[in-house]
Amino acid sequence: MKALSCAVLVLLPLMAPSVAAAIAGRDPGDPIDLTSAVSGAMEVNPRVRALRLRYEAMLDRPEQESALPDPMLSYGFMFEDVVTANGPITGVLEISQEIPFHRKRPLRGGISRLEAEAAESAWRAARLDVALEVRAAYYDLFRIDRSLEIVAEEADLLDRLEQVARARYAAGLAGQGDVLRAQTEHSLIEERLLLLRRDREGVAASFNALLDRDAGAAVGPALDPPDPAIVLPGDEALYEAARAARPEITEAKSLVEAGTLRERLMRRDYLPDFRVGVQWNRVDETANPFAPDPGQDGYMLTLGVSVPIWRGRLRAGVREAEAMTESARSEVLDRTNRATSEVRAILAAVRAQRDLATLYASTLVPQAESTLEAAEAAYQAGTSDFLGVLDSERRLLELKLSHVEALAELGGTLAALERAVGLDLETIAAVPGPEASGGASQ
């Protein structure tokens, strides 16, 4: 039994390098600049780029829709000559231009312009989505990186507790079980490190994808936590800001305006379009040389008008336009209601996470540290057992990790608030409201 005890004491110090190796396996690279990462993702992310290119393409549509149709050039051959006083007509050349009824072309251009504005809003919404995903990934990385540091610090604490247990065991003041319990805690720490490293690789790959980088590219540490002391405007101020700035709402409003113009255009389809042309009739001068003006060609101005007689088709077009406009109006109302409910729910989450992070930092973690110090002192004095020390150590570790998780969730909910309102945090903080003036809106 004595030999087994000695072997245990020899093997225990060898466990620390494996823990250190797990920590050293973290991704290399400079610390992440969140502002630069967000702005970079909003430019290079393939989803955002696709919608930006779609919007830029649609900017050229108003000019196309408001332009006149191409003129028509036609030439006719005579199977049998049409004889005139000056000779037979052998061919007819005509050029004509269609002219839509007054205001049809500007209406088509206006519809395309408003649809381009809707596409711009969709692009801005995608930018906000990507910014939210980048921030969420960043705070997930922050949680993992800070947890790795906390667990590494805990490994150092366990080393110190282990030395105390070994010294008391060597002096015959404690049993071998205390040393073995310290060994078990080391193994659990190593397990935590390995799981955290696994999670970080997955989050880092997602972070790289958002920035259109190789999945295996190095991702540096995320060091900056959100500020739990951030001052937010009141609820109503944020609701109003969301109704004004959220791109989904502005997109639907643009589609309502486009639908209104489309209704007017469909009603103008009841009115005729026009066609103006010039016709040249080629006359064979050799067929009748004795004619008064042999070979003199004929010219003619042609006028045409469309006859919109298919009223069923026209009425169907008007009904379709009216239904699409009403659909867009309902979409505005739905998106406005959802924006308000989302802002309300996220504000509640922000305030809860802010208070929770403050509680951990100001009360729970300091109390757990004091409890551990007291338990360790009692163990060294022989008035308490090692299980009480380990229990206090585990409690402190869990509270520190919970504090980090609360900070990460606060960062994520603040990012979600930015997305729900459609503004960045600096702009949101500048919105006047009760909380900014000293009275939080709960």
Side-chain angles (χ1 to χ4, degrees):
M1 181 62 67
K2 187 66 175 178
L4 176 60
S5 302
C6 294
V8 169
L9 294 177
V10 171
L11 289 174
L12 279 173
L14 298 179
M15 295 189 63
S18 62
V19 174
I23 299 172
R26 293 172 56 180
D27 292 331
D30 296 328
I32 301 171
D33 185 330
L34 180 57
T35 302
S36 298
V38 169
S39 60
M42 289 193 296
E43 294 300 324
V44 304
N45 184 270
R47 187 195 334 160
V48 173
R49 184 172 179 272
L51 289 173
R52 176 178 60 82
L53 292 173
R54 177 175 176 268
Y55 158 61
E56 292 175 353
M58 293 184 70
L59 289 176
D60 290 321
R61 286 183 59 186
E63 182 179 356
Q64 301 175 61
E65 294 294 331
S66 60
L68 283 168
D70 289 333
M72 179 68 71
L73 180 65
S74 60
Y75 185 79
F77 295 92
M78 298 295 181
F79 290 105
E80 294 183 5
D81 293 343
V82 177
V83 180
T84 67
N86 295 328
I89 298 176
T90 59
V92 179
L93 180 68
E94 181 180 10
I95 183 169
S96 61
Q97 174 66 59
E98 181 182 346
I99 303 175
F101 196 87
H102 179 61
R103 296 295 299 168
K104 282 188 177 181
R105 290 191 297 119
L107 285 172
R108 292 191 183 104
I111 292 169
S112 296
R113 176 181 56 80
L114 289 166
E115 288 176 343
E117 290 179 5
E120 180 187 15
S121 296
W123 166 50
R124 291 194 296 111
R127 285 166 57 88
L128 291 174
D129 286 338
V130 168
L132 170 60
E133 292 175 26
V134 170
R135 288 187 174 94
Y138 176 87
Y139 287 116
D140 212 4
L141 287 170
F142 164 79
R143 175 186 61 80
I144 295 173
D145 290 341
R146 186 70 187 99
S147 296
L148 284 167
E149 294 176 2
I150 290 172
V151 173
E153 293 169 0
E154 206 65 17
D156 293 338
L157 172 61
L158 281 172
D159 285 341
R160 183 165 55 79
L161 293 177
E162 175 195 330
Q163 294 302 321
V164 172
R166 292 175 64 197
R168 289 181 58 80
Y169 174 67
L173 300 175
Q176 182 184 350
D178 291 353
V179 180
L180 294 175
R181 291 185 186 97
Q183 179 183 17
T184 301
E185 290 298 315
H186 266 289
S187 299
L188 293 174
I189 287 292
E190 186 169 8
E191 178 192 29
R192 281 184 182 269
L193 288 169
L194 293 175
L195 292 175
L196 287 169
R197 288 294 308 132
R198 179 202 63 187
D199 293 343
R200 194 184 197 282
E201 289 182 4
V203 177
S206 300
F207 187 82
N208 283 328
L210 290 168
L211 275 76
D212 195 26
R213 302 191 305 207
D214 183 77
V219 176
L223 302 179
D224 298 326
D227 182 11
I230 185 171
V231 177
L232 297 172
D235 295 26
E236 291 300 328
L238 286 175
Y239 299 158
E240 188 62 32
R243 286 191 286 267
R246 186 152 170 155
E248 291 91 345
I249 298 176
T250 58
E251 177 187 10
K253 287 180 178 178
S254 295
L255 293 177
V256 169
E257 295 181 43
T260 302
L261 293 186
R262 186 172 286 105
E263 288 182 40
R264 293 168 57 187
L265 178 61
M266 291 297 102
R267 290 189 176 93
R268 282 188 173 267
D269 277 351
Y270 283 93
L271 302 172
D273 297 330
F274 305 99
R275 183 180 293 275
V276 178
V278 176
Q279 189 177 97
W280 168 51
N281 298 309
R282 182 175 181 275
V283 177
D284 187 356
E285 64 182 5
T286 64
N288 187 3
F290 301 105
D293 296 304
Q296 183 176 347
D297 296 339
Y299 297 91
M300 181 169 55
L301 176 66
T302 62
L303 298 175
V305 61
S306 65
V307 183
I309 63 173
W310 310 116
R311 296 310 215 206
R313 176 183 64 83
L314 298 175
R315 286 193 295 268
V318 172
R319 289 196 303 270
E320 177 190 6
E322 290 173 344
M324 294 300 292
T325 304
E326 284 304 311
S327 172
R329 289 196 180 99
S330 297
E331 196 70 27
V332 171
L333 181 60
D334 175 65
R335 293 182 182 187
T336 301
N337 291 339
R338 282 195 287 121
T340 302
S341 64
E342 285 180 19
V343 170
R344 182 179 181 83
I346 293 170
L347 268 175
V350 168
R351 288 167 180 148
Q353 290 302 135
R354 184 179 59 180
D355 294 344
L356 185 59
T358 302
L359 178 64
Y360 278 121
S362 63
T363 304
L364 295 178
V365 171
Q367 287 178 347
E369 290 174 339
S370 298
T371 301
L372 176 60
E373 290 175 3
E376 185 179 353
Y379 176 66
Q380 290 180 343
T383 59
S384 178
D385 59 14
F386 196 62
L387 285 176
V389 178
L390 289 181
D391 184 64
S392 298
E393 175 269 329
R394 293 191 199 103
R395 183 60 177 162
L396 176 60
L397 174 61
E398 294 302 329
L399 286 172
K400 284 183 176 180
L401 294 177
S402 296
H403 180 211
V404 171
E405 186 172 351
L407 285 173
E409 290 186 7
L410 173 61
T413 51
L414 286 172
L417 182 63
E418 286 187 319
R419 177 63 185 91
V421 177
L423 299 172
D424 58 65
L425 281 178
E426 291 183 0
T427 307
I428 289 175
V431 175
E435 189 170 312
S437 61
S441 176
Q442 299 297 339

